Structure formats: structure tokens, C-alpha cells
């Protein structure tokens, strides 16, 4: 009788962890899709005037941020 309770609790715990993992994975995939859409829509627009440096400045800023994040991730102080 004691093993039945342990098995039931174990099965319910495993089911709960599986549901939480599936929900987390679904949320992560949604977030990645959102970021892909943001990146795709952030490109040069056809109606943007040519000769403006705003897009290039923003891209340089983003590249600098990525570089700093990569340094932090690798443990390098800057």
C-alpha cells in the first residue's frame, strides 16, 4: 500500500514537470518567433529616404551591444 502512494506522487510529479517544460518550451519558441519578426521588420524600408545615417548608426549600436554581451557571456571584462 505504501508503494502505491509513492508511485502516484512520482507519476503526478513527473506529469507536472512535463507540463511545465512543455509550457516553457512553447513560450520560448513564441519569444524566438517574435524576435525573428522584429529583426525581419527592422531592415531598410522602401519608403525610407536614402542618405540617412540613422539606420547605420542603429545597426552599429546593436552590433556593439551584441559584442558586449558576447564578452560578458565569455567572461571577459571590458
Amino acid at each position: 500500500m505504501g508503494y502505491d502512494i509513492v508511485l502516484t506522487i512520482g507519476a503526478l510529479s513527473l506529469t507536472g514537470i512535463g507540463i511545465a517544460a512543455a509550457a516553457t518550451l512553447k513560450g520560448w519558441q513564441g519569444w524566438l518567433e517574435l524576435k525573428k519578426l522584429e529583426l525581419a521588420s527592422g531592415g531598410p524600408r522602401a519608403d525610407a529616404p536614402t542618405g540617412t545615417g540613422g539606420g547605420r548608426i542603429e545597426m552599429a549600436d546593436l552590433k556593439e551591444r551584441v559584442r558586449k554581451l558576447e564578452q560578458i557571456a565569455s567572461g571577459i571584462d571590458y
Side-chain angles (χ1 to χ4, degrees):
M1 187 107 184
Y3 290 115
D4 292 340
I5 293 173
V6 171
L7 289 175
T8 303
I9 291 173
L12 289 174
S13 298
L14 188 59
T15 302
I17 290 171
I19 290 170
T24 303
L25 180 60
K26 181 70 174 170
W28 176 253
Q29 289 174 341
W31 184 82
L32 286 176
E33 185 64 29
L34 174 67
K35 292 300 172 183
K36 285 180 186 177
L37 290 173
E38 286 178 358
L39 287 173
S41 67
R45 298 184 319 231
D47 62 345
T50 57
T52 59
R56 282 183 257 160
I57 292 171
E58 185 176 335
M59 183 60 72
D61 183 46
L62 290 174
K63 286 180 180 179
E64 179 67 19
R65 287 182 186 183
V66 168
R67 187 185 62 77
K68 286 181 181 180
L69 289 172
E70 287 173 344
Q71 287 177 345
I72 290 171
S74 66
I76 299 173
D77 290 330
Y78 58 94

